Amino acid sequence: MSLSLSGVSVDYDGVPAVVDVDLELPAGQVLAVLGPSGSGKSTLLRAVAGLEPARGTIAWAGQDLGGVPTHQRGFALMFQDGQLFGHLTVGRNVGYALRLRKVRGVESRVAELLELVGLAGYADRLPGTLSGGERQRVALARSLAVEPRLLLLDEPLSALDAGLRERLAGELRDILVAAGTTALMVTHDHEEAYTVADRIAVMRDGRLVQSGVIGKVWAAPADPETALFLGYARVLVDDAAQRLLAAAGLPPAAAVAVRRSALTVDPSTAPDGARDLRGVVLSARVTPDQVRLVVGVDGLGELDAVASVGTHPAAGEPVRLVVDRSRLAVIR
Amino acid sequence: MALPPAVRRPASLVALAALPVVVLGCFFVLPVSGMVARGFFPDGELDAGAVLEVLTRSRTGRVVWFTVWSAGVATAVSVLLGLPAAYALHGLEFPLRRTVRALLLVPFVLPTVVVGVAFRQLLGESGPLGFLGLDGTPVAIVAGLVFFNAAVVIRAVGASWESLDSRPAEAAAALGASPAQVFRTVTLPTLRPAIVSAASVVFLFCATSFGVVLTLGGTRYSSVETEIYLLTTDLLDLPGAAALSLVQLTAVVALLAVAARLRASADPSVVRVPSRPRRPARADLPQLAMTALLLALVAAPVVTLVAGSLRVGDSWSLGNYRALDSVGDQQALVVPVTDALVTSLRTAVDATWMSLLLGLLVALAVTRRSRSRAERRIRTVLDGFFMLPLGVSAATLGFGFLITLDRPPLDLRDSALLVPVAQALVALPLVVRTLVPVLDGIDDRQRQAAASLGAGPLRTLLTVDVPVLWRPLLAASGFAFAASLGEFGATAFLARDESATLPVVIFRLIGHPGAMNYGMALAASVVLAATTAAVMLAVERLRVPSLGAL
C-alpha cells in the first residue's frame, strides 16, 4: 500500500513542467514536495490526482492508475484556497463525499471530523461566514471524511497569515498522525515542510533533485542551491570550505553549507588555537534570542554568526568564532 | 471505461457538441448555403457575373450606405442617451428605481413589428407628433432603432457601473479632482470596455434590424436586411439577395471578431466590488433629467399605441380587442388573431426548449477547460460557429429553409417544427451568451475538488454547475421565449396562413386596407407587447446580467 511514481513527466503544450520524476511514498507517512514557484511541484500533485495527463507510471499498491479518472482514484485533493462549495453549509461540505457514497451515520461522522479540526458546532454555518483559517480546516475535514487512501495537499497553508500558518501547521501534523493518513503535500516553505512531513522531496525546474527522510536530506543537501532552499544561510566552496572544515575539525570537501548559528562568538580570552577563526564585526542586530552578526572573517569573507544576548559586539570590533560542526552540511 | 485522458477529453467534447453541430448543420448551414448557391448558380451553372453585377448597382450602394449610417447614428444616440440613465439607474438609489429600470428594458424585447406599428401611430399624419412630418423619414427609423437599443446600453454599462470599485474614484477626489475630472480620468477609462462592447452589440442589432426598418421605411429606405427580403419576395431576384446575404455575413463576422477582440482586452485586473447605490445629490440632476427624458421617449410610442388601440372611430372602446376573435375586414386573415396568439405561444414553447437544450450543450462544450492548444482551438471555432445565426439575415434563413428542406430526407415543408426550429436558431446566440459568462466564472478547481472527493462527471455537474446555472437558465429561457414570440424575419417566410404567428398577423393587418384592420393591428400589438413584457419583467427579477455579453 504505497504510492510509487516512476518516470512521470507532464508537458503543457510541449513545454515540460515535470520531467522524469521517480518517487516512493510508504503508507502512513507524510511527504512534502518542496520547491520554488514554477518548479512543477503543483503539476506533479495534479498529475497524481489525475487532473493532468502524465507520461510514465503513477501506481498505488502496485496498480497502475493510468486510465483511472480522478473521482475513482480515492485520493482527496485539498486546494490552497479550500474550494468549499459556497452554497452548501459546513456540515454538507464535510459530509459531501459520505453522502455520495450513501454512507450511514453521516451526521455523527461530520460532527466527529469538525471536532477533530477544532470546529465543533460549525455544521450549520455557510462557508462565506468563516475566516480563512476556518475555511481551510473545513476543507481538511472534507478531504479526510472518506478516509482517502492518499490525501493530496496543495499549499494548504500559504493563503493564511504567518502566525496562523505556524499554528495550523502543527495542528495539521497532529490531525494527519491522529487519522493515520498517507499524505502528499506541496509547499514552498521549508519550515512548513519540516513541521508537517516525515519525508521531503525537493524539486527544481521540473526535476526531482533530492528526496528522503527529512533528517537525512537536511544533513546532506544534494547541491548548493538545494542547501540554500532548505534554509542554510550560505554555501562556501573551495579554499573557504577547506578553512571552515579545518576549523571544525572535519575532513576537506568541495563545498559546505553553513547555517546562521554555525558560528558563535567565543567571549573567553583563551589563547589562540591554530584552528580558530578570527574576524571583524561588520554589522550587528539584536533579536530576542541572540545577536545576529555579519563578520568579515580572515580568508573566508563575509559570514553570518551569532552571539549571546548578553554580549553586544559593535561594528568594527574584533571577535573570535567557534564552529558548531552539527550546523554544517558537507556537500559532496 | 478505462480510456486514457488524452482520448477521453476530446471524445467527451465531441459528444457534447455533436447534437448542436448536427442541428446547426441541417437547419442553418444547409439552408443558408442553399440560398446563396441558388444565387450563384441560377440555372445550375456558375454565374458569378450576375452576383457581381448586383454589387455594382447604384441602389446596392445606397442600401449599404444607408445601413451603415443609420446604424452608426442610432448607436451613437443610444450610447449618449443610455450612459446617463445607466449611471442613474445603477449607481443611485431613489424611489421606483427598479421599476424604471425594468420599464426601460421592455423595449428591447418588444417585437419589432410592434415597435414599427407604435412609431407609425406616433409619427403618422394623425398621430400626436404628426406635425413634425417625420413619418417615413430616416429620422423615424433611427428613432425606432434607438428606442430598441438604449436598453442594451443601460443594461450592459449599468452592470459594470454597479460593480465598479468606488475607491479609486474616492482616491482621485481626495487628490483634488472635481467630479467631472474623476469621471473623465478614472470612471470612464474603467468603463470603456463595457461601453465599447455595448456599442458594438448595438451597432450589430441596428445594422441587421428587420422589422423596424421594414415597417417604418417601406421601400424608400431599405437596409441590407430588408433589401434581401424585398429582392427575394417582391422582385424574385435571387442572385441579388444572395450577393447581399454574403456581404452581410462577411460584415457581421468581421464585426463580431472585432467585438470579441475588444472584449478580450478588457482589463481583468479591475476589482469588482459591488458598491452600494448612493442617494442622488444636486450634481446628479442632469443624469436624472436625462433618464426622465429617455423614459418619456420610450413611453411616448407605447402610450400612443395603447391609446390608439382603445379608439374606434372617434370614441373610446374595446371594440378593437373584441374583434380579435375575427378574421378582420374583407377576410384579411385566414385565422382569427386569438388563434394566432395560441400558435405564437405554442411555437415559443417549442423554440424555447430547443434553444435551451442546444444552448446548454454548446455552453458546456465551449467553457470546459482546454488541456491542449488543439482542444482550445476547437472550442474557439465552436464558439464562433454558434454565433453565426446573429450574422445571417433572418430572411435569408427563412427563404433557405423553404428551398432546401423541401425534399427527402429532409422534407419538412409540412412539419409543425419548421417555425420553432428557425426561431430556436435565431434565439440560440442569446441563450449561449447568457450561459457562457456564468459557466466561465466557475473556478474549475471546484469541479476538481468534487472529483477528488469521488464525484463522477454527472455528480460534479449537479454539485458545482447546476446551483450556479439555474437562474441564468431561467433567464435564458425567458429571453428565448420573448425572442421567439417577436421573431418576424424567418417566420414571415415559413409560417403558413392557417398557422401564422402574432407578428405575422399584425404585419398582414397593417398591409390590408380598412379602419377595423388597423385598429385590430394596434390591439394585437398591445397584446403581443404585454405578453413579452410580462415574460421579460419576470426575467428581470432574476437579476442575471447578460445582453451586454453578446
Side-chain angles (χ1 to χ4, degrees):
Chain A
M1 293 291 277
S2 66
L3 176 74
S4 75
L5 313 182
S6 63
V8 171
S9 301
V10 182
D11 293 354
Y12 284 121
D13 281 336
V15 180
V18 172
V19 183
D20 205 16
V21 168
D22 298 317
L23 204 57
E24 290 285 333
L25 173 58
Q29 297 226 344
V30 179
L31 168 71
V33 178
L34 191 58
S37 52
S39 61
K41 55 188 193 306
S42 286
T43 309
L44 181 68
L45 187 86
R46 294 170 55 80
V48 172
L51 294 167
E52 301 291 342
R55 279 172 283 117
T57 313
I58 299 172
W60 179 261
Q63 183 213 346
D64 184 3
L65 298 175
V68 182
T70 303
H71 64 279
Q72 287 166 6
R73 291 198 178 192
F75 298 169
L77 174 58
M78 179 180 155
F79 288 91
Q80 187 173 354
D81 46 1
Q83 295 295 336
L84 298 178
F85 304 130
H87 60 289
L88 300 179
T89 61
V90 166
R92 303 288 293 197
N93 262 290
V94 174
Y96 178 77
L98 297 170
R99 289 200 167 79
L100 284 187
R101 298 187 181 187
K102 304 208 166 37
V103 175
R104 268 195 280 178
V106 173
E107 311 264 307
S108 62
R109 176 85 178 119
V110 167
E112 201 178 301
L113 284 158
L114 286 176
E115 178 91 49
L116 179 70
V117 297
L119 291 178
Y122 276 57
D124 294 329
R125 304 266 297 265
L126 278 172
T129 67
L130 303 181
S131 72
E134 287 166 343
R135 275 200 286 268
Q136 282 308 76
R137 289 167 202 244
V138 175
L140 180 62
R142 184 177 74 174
S143 303
L144 288 172
V146 285
E147 292 165 10
R149 305 195 281 183
L150 174 66
L151 178 60
L152 303 169
L153 304 160
D154 188 0
E155 303 256 8
L157 305 176
S158 25
L160 309 176
D161 59 59
L164 187 59
R165 185 162 66 222
E166 211 166 290
R167 196 153 46 81
L168 265 188
E171 287 179 22
L172 179 58
R173 168 78 193 169
D174 296 342
I175 291 167
L176 292 180
V177 170
T181 311
T182 313
L184 179 60
M185 174 172 89
V186 152
T187 178
H188 63 268
D189 178 356
H190 56 268
E191 294 293 343
E192 194 176 304
Y194 303 148
T195 314
V196 180
D198 305 297
R199 308 163 68 86
I200 53 177
V202 182
M203 280 188 77
R204 201 167 57 232
D205 298 335
R207 290 171 195 278
L208 191 63
V209 183
Q210 193 175 11
S211 67
V213 178
I214 287 187
K216 285 190 179 163
V217 173
W218 174 250
D223 53 40
E225 279 179 291
T226 309
L228 292 175
F229 192 71
L230 287 174
Y232 284 89
R234 282 169 206 258
V235 175
L236 301 181
V237 295
D238 302 333
D239 287 350
Q242 312 311 340
R243 275 213 61 188
L244 188 70
L245 287 167
L250 291 169
V256 60
V258 189
R259 279 186 76 175
R260 177 183 289 283
S261 54
L263 297 173
T264 319
V265 172
D266 182 0
S268 73
T269 48
D272 294 357
R275 289 178 185 163
D276 278 353
L277 293 175
R278 303 191 142 274
V280 177
V281 176
L282 298 176
S283 68
R285 195 156 53 85
V286 182
T287 70
D289 295 329
Q290 54 196 189
V291 182
R292 296 183 166 189
L293 306 173
V294 178
V295 180
V297 183
D298 307 337
L300 285 176
E302 280 181 27
L303 281 179
D304 301 289
V306 294
S308 59
V309 178
T311 67
H312 27 76
E317 215 168 289
V319 286
R320 196 160 63 99
L321 303 168
V322 289
V323 185
D324 178 351
R325 59 160 79 169
S326 70
R327 288 165 192 265
L328 302 179
V330 171
I331 300 171
R332 284 169 214 291
Chain B
M1 279 264 289
L3 288 170
V7 178
R8 200 171 54 226
R9 292 192 53 91
S12 70
L13 174 61
V14 168
L16 271 179
L19 179 67
V21 168
V22 168
V23 170
L24 205 63
C26 287
F27 296 105
F28 181 79
V29 177
L30 192 65
V32 171
S33 53
M35 162 77 187
V36 172
R38 185 68 66 96
F40 275 101
F41 302 90
D43 307 304
E45 278 173 47
L46 178 63
D47 187 5
V51 171
L52 288 177
E53 181 268 324
V54 175
L55 296 181
T56 56
R57 283 182 205 160
S58 65
R59 175 161 172 101
T60 305
R62 274 209 310 280
V63 164
V64 170
W65 172 236
F66 177 78
T67 309
V68 170
W69 81 252
S70 66
V73 171
T75 305
V77 177
S78 297
V79 169
L80 287 180
L81 285 176
L83 276 188
Y87 169 74
L89 294 171
H90 290 265
L92 300 178
E93 177 65 65
F94 54 88
L96 294 179
R97 179 172 76 118
R98 296 195 57 152
T99 313
V100 174
R101 198 151 76 186
L103 285 177
L104 284 179
L105 182 67
V106 166
F108 177 69
V109 293
L110 281 189
T112 51
V113 176
V114 173
V115 176
V117 171
F119 268 83
R120 282 179 69 174
Q121 182 69 12
L122 179 69
L123 302 174
E125 274 171 37
S126 57
L129 297 182
F131 64 91
L132 295 174
L134 293 175
D135 195 19
T137 67
V139 177
I141 295 176
V142 169
L145 293 174
V146 171
F147 173 85
F148 255 108
N149 288 298
V152 180
V153 177
I154 295 176
R155 182 88 172 185
V157 180
S160 11
W161 217 318
E162 202 163 67
S163 59
L164 208 59
D165 190 353
S166 59
R167 286 170 302 180
E170 288 159 9
L175 292 170
S178 70
Q181 286 169 324
V182 169
F183 179 75
R184 206 182 63 241
T185 57
V186 178
T187 312
L188 199 57
T190 332
L191 287 178
R192 189 159 46 213
I195 296 173
V196 171
S197 156
S200 54
V201 172
V202 168
F203 186 84
L204 186 70
F205 284 157
C206 291
T208 58
S209 167
F210 179 63
V212 171
V213 183
L214 190 66
T215 42
L216 292 177
T219 48
R220 250 190 28 194
Y221 295 101
S222 199
S223 70
V224 173
E225 182 99 8
T226 55
E227 186 72 2
I228 293 172
Y229 174 82
L230 294 175
L231 287 176
T232 317
T233 53
D234 289 5
L235 308 171
L236 297 175
D237 176 4
L238 290 189
L244 282 179
S245 281
L246 277 184
V247 168
Q248 191 185 34
L249 184 60
T250 319
V252 170
V253 167
L255 193 62
L256 279 178
V258 170
R261 181 58 58 86
L262 290 173
R263 202 167 54 235
S265 61
D267 181 4
S269 66
V270 173
V271 184
R272 299 282 173 212
V273 186
S275 54
R276 183 186 286 277
R278 54 186 184 78
R279 303 179 65 78
R282 189 182 290 269
D284 297 322
L285 273 179
Q287 285 86 340
L288 288 171
M290 287 292 276
T291 311
L293 173 70
L294 186 63
L295 194 61
L297 288 179
V298 163
V302 177
V303 170
T304 332
L305 173 70
V306 174
S309 75
L310 292 170
R311 305 281 291 184
V312 175
D314 285 331
S315 58
W316 297 96
S317 149
L318 285 173
N320 289 326
Y321 289 89
R322 274 192 227 103
L324 289 183
D325 62 354
S326 76
V327 292
D329 276 351
Q330 306 157 7
Q331 304 285 313
L333 304 172
V334 177
V335 289
V337 180
T338 43
D339 281 16
L341 177 63
V342 173
T343 309
S344 270
L345 291 173
R346 199 178 289 150
T347 314
V349 168
D350 283 337
T352 302
W353 73 254
M354 285 178 203
S355 61
L356 271 192
L357 174 67
L358 296 178
L360 188 60
L361 289 174
V362 172
L364 284 175
V366 299
T367 54
R368 289 282 115 135
R369 202 175 69 99
S370 301
R371 280 280 161 69
S372 64
R373 211 170 295 159
E375 206 179 326
R376 196 152 46 237
R377 203 164 298 147
I378 296 176
R379 282 176 211 280
T380 314
V381 169
L382 278 178
D383 197 19
F385 183 57
F386 291 106
M387 288 299 109
L388 277 183
L390 268 187
V392 171
S393 149
T396 307
L397 182 67
F399 194 74
F401 263 52
L402 283 188
I403 60 172
T404 51
L405 302 179
D406 58 348
R407 60 198 97 114
L410 277 172
D411 184 2
L412 298 172
R413 272 169 304 174
D414 298 323
S415 169
L417 288 181
L418 203 56
V419 175
V421 165
Q423 294 182 347
L425 288 178
V426 173
L428 182 62
L430 212 55
V431 174
V432 172
R433 280 299 138 209
T434 308
L435 300 181
V436 161
V438 179
L439 284 173
D440 257 344
I442 299 175
D443 191 333
D444 200 44
R445 290 176 304 166
Q446 287 265 308
R447 303 189 184 101
Q448 296 166 2
S452 90
L453 292 169
L458 194 63
R459 192 61 191 219
T460 304
L461 194 75
L462 285 176
T463 307
V464 179
D465 297 271
V466 171
V468 193
L469 205 55
W470 70 268
R471 276 154 69 105
L473 258 183
L474 269 179
S477 51
F479 289 135
F481 196 82
S484 161
L485 274 183
E487 211 291 326
F488 177 57
T491 314
F493 276 95
L494 298 174
R496 292 158 164 275
D497 288 343
E498 65 273 16
S499 59
T501 62
L502 212 40
V504 176
V505 161
I506 292 170
F507 188 68
R508 199 152 297 162
L509 282 172
I510 316 176
H512 266 264
M516 194 64 203
N517 288 340
Y518 192 68
M520 275 173 72
L522 295 181
S525 296
V526 172
V527 170
L528 182 55
T531 314
T532 18
V535 173
M536 279 321 291
L537 291 180
V539 168
E540 169 67 10
R541 295 201 68 89
L542 294 170
R543 308 262 302 125
V544 179
S546 67
L547 295 185
L550 269 168

